[in-house]
Structure formats: C-alpha cells, structure tokens
Amino acid sequence: MARRLYWLSDDEWSRIEPLLPKGRRGARRVDDQRVISGIVHMLRSGARWRDCPTEYGPYTTVYNRFNRWSRQGVWLGLFEALTGHSGVWGTVAIDATHVKAHRSAAGAKGGPSQAVGASRGGRTTKLHALTDLAGRPRVLLLSPGNVNDVSMAAALIAAAGPFDRLLADRGYDANAVRALIDARGAQAVIPSTTSRRAPIPHDRAAYRARNLVERLWCRLKDFRRVATRYDKLARNFLSGAIIAATVTYWCN
C-alpha cells in the first residue's frame, strides 16, 4: 500500500497504536493502521462507505470497524486517553454549531434520541464542544438542532475536568449556568444579554480568546462527514466528530 494513503505519520500512529483494543476474541484484525486510515479518509472525503478506495481493503471491513468501535465506545476511550480527560484545564470555552442532516440520516429507530431536530432551517444536529485555552476540544456532545445552546451547558460542565474560568457567548447568559460555574469555584466570562436589567461585568480581555472555539468548528468541518451529517445513528456521527478531533488536535 502506498505510504501516501496513510493519514497518520509514524509518530502520530505511535501515540494511537498502544491505546487500541488488544486480546479480544474472534478473528485476528487486519492491519489497524490501514483500516483506520480508510476511516479517516471516508470522514474527510464525505463519500459513501461503499465508495471507499480499495487500497484500504473491503469497504465492509472499514465501515464495520468504525461502527463496531463506535458501539463499544473505543473511539471515545481513545479520545479521552489522549486528551488527559481528568487533568486541570485552566481556562475553557464552550460553544455549539449546527450541522445539516442529509436525508440519508433519517429513518433510524429512536427518533429524537438520534439527535436530529426539525426547524425552519430544515433537519439539523447540533454539535457542542468544550475546549481548553489552546482551542483543543476536551468534550464533544450532540443534541437535536432545535435545542438551545444553553440547555446543553450543564452537560458540558458536568463532563469537564477541573477549570478555573469559562468563556461563552451571551447565548449562555443564564443564572443557572453561572451558578454551576460558581459552584466549581470558577469564574464566568459571559457577556450579559440585553434583557438583563443590571448587566453583569465580564473580563473583556479574557473574552477575546473565545474565538479559538470558533476555529475548532472550521477545522472539524474540513471533514465532510462532520460538516454534513449522513449517519443515521447519533453515536456514529459523534464518533466521526471525535475521530476528526483526535486526528486534528491530539495525535501530533
């Protein structure tokens, strides 16, 4: 197989390989590096799984590995191992982005539990993130696209490790969110909405760093299967976003 088809350098692969499942029952797995490169290629290109280049092996092998490890939580475990999930993160930021759901994403059992919502903009999913001060994703969650950003703030904060300051736009200006941050002994850097009669001051200099989370969406949406949702299952779409985040931010 041509070296250029691999999406991960030898150094990057050396960080991932020790974290992959070992000693499991069943037939011996084919070349992990080749199959995972095929998965990354498909996420990047946005093509149908059956159109996976033959250099990566049978498309069924590539898809089945992606789907099975999604169901088993392997991709999430890999992400958390590389991010140092329980470490102290200092300043963090939260934000969300809409993702258009393709018609092929419809029809899965579970309805709203598959994180697809209908609104005036059509059928969408919303991807929520909590990042560190370097803009690297530490937590990624999904919700239907018609869910308000602020409604997922508690889940993001609950999934986070220790932090001392949280940056967010005014869409997260809610007393309940501020109370959650305060309960952690952290500082909220959130501009007040115009509806507040007495605006709450915030650190304007610190708030400028919030643009890092905006850059996160630009980089993750370079992967076409993240920019548009084709997966019927919420866990598979989230796994695709986690793999994209891992490859982009945590392997190098």
Side-chain angles (χ1 to χ4, degrees):
M1 181 177 179
R3 176 66 179 82
R4 58 187 171 82
L5 287 178
Y6 287 122
W7 282 86
L8 301 172
S9 68
D10 291 340
D11 287 342
E12 291 168 339
W13 180 248
S14 69
R15 298 198 65 193
I16 288 180
E17 196 275 336
L19 303 173
L20 300 180
K22 292 181 174 62
R24 294 191 170 187
R25 293 182 178 181
R28 182 182 178 185
R29 295 201 306 263
V30 297
D31 184 359
D32 284 332
Q33 190 172 8
R34 185 189 73 189
V35 173
I36 290 176
S37 290
I39 292 170
V40 174
H41 175 83
M42 299 308 293
L43 295 174
R44 188 83 178 189
S45 68
R48 300 181 305 171
W49 289 101
R50 66 176 58 252
D51 294 328
C52 180
T54 56
E55 290 86 351
Y56 296 115
Y59 82 88
T60 51
T61 300
V62 177
Y63 172 74
N64 287 341
R65 180 79 60 85
F66 168 74
N67 181 53
R68 183 170 62 253
W69 283 8
S70 172
R71 183 177 66 251
Q72 296 171 348
V74 173
W75 302 120
L76 178 59
L78 177 65
F79 176 72
E80 291 184 344
L82 288 172
T83 60
H85 190 66
S86 61
V88 177
W89 303 343
T91 297
V92 300
I94 59 175
D95 197 20
T97 186
H98 279 94
V99 177
K100 185 74 173 179
H102 190 267
R103 62 183 176 84
S104 63
K109 294 181 179 179
S113 67
Q114 298 303 334
V116 176
S119 65
R120 287 181 295 178
R123 294 168 59 82
T124 57
T125 289
K126 192 172 284 188
L127 189 58
H128 303 260
L130 182 144
T131 72
D132 59 23
L133 192 57
R136 299 174 301 182
R138 298 283 188 158
V139 180
L140 290 170
L141 299 175
L142 287 187
S143 75
N146 54 1
V147 168
N148 289 334
D149 293 358
V150 70
S151 66
M152 292 294 292
L156 288 170
I157 293 170
F163 59 86
D164 55 32
R165 184 164 54 184
L166 186 144
L167 316 181
D169 64 28
R170 58 174 43 91
Y172 295 91
D173 178 28
N175 292 337
V177 174
R178 292 180 182 275
L180 287 172
I181 298 169
D182 185 63
R184 283 188 166 231
Q187 175 191 6
V189 182
I190 306 173
S192 297
T193 61
T194 56
S195 61
R196 274 197 184 272
R197 294 184 178 180
I200 301 173
H202 68 281
D203 187 333
R204 293 178 179 272
Y207 184 73
R208 294 193 188 102
R210 202 194 67 81
N211 73 89
L212 291 172
V213 74
E214 300 288 352
R215 298 182 199 177
L216 166 69
W217 303 132
C218 294
R219 297 192 68 184
L220 290 189
K221 287 184 177 182
D222 283 341
F223 290 77
R224 293 183 178 180
R225 292 189 74 94
V226 177
T228 301
R229 176 174 171 176
Y230 300 102
D231 296 287
K232 292 181 184 295
L233 299 179
R235 63 169 168 80
N236 280 2
F237 177 69
L238 181 58
S239 291
I242 285 172
I243 295 170
T246 301
V247 170
T248 303
Y249 288 94
W250 293 105
C251 291
N252 45 43

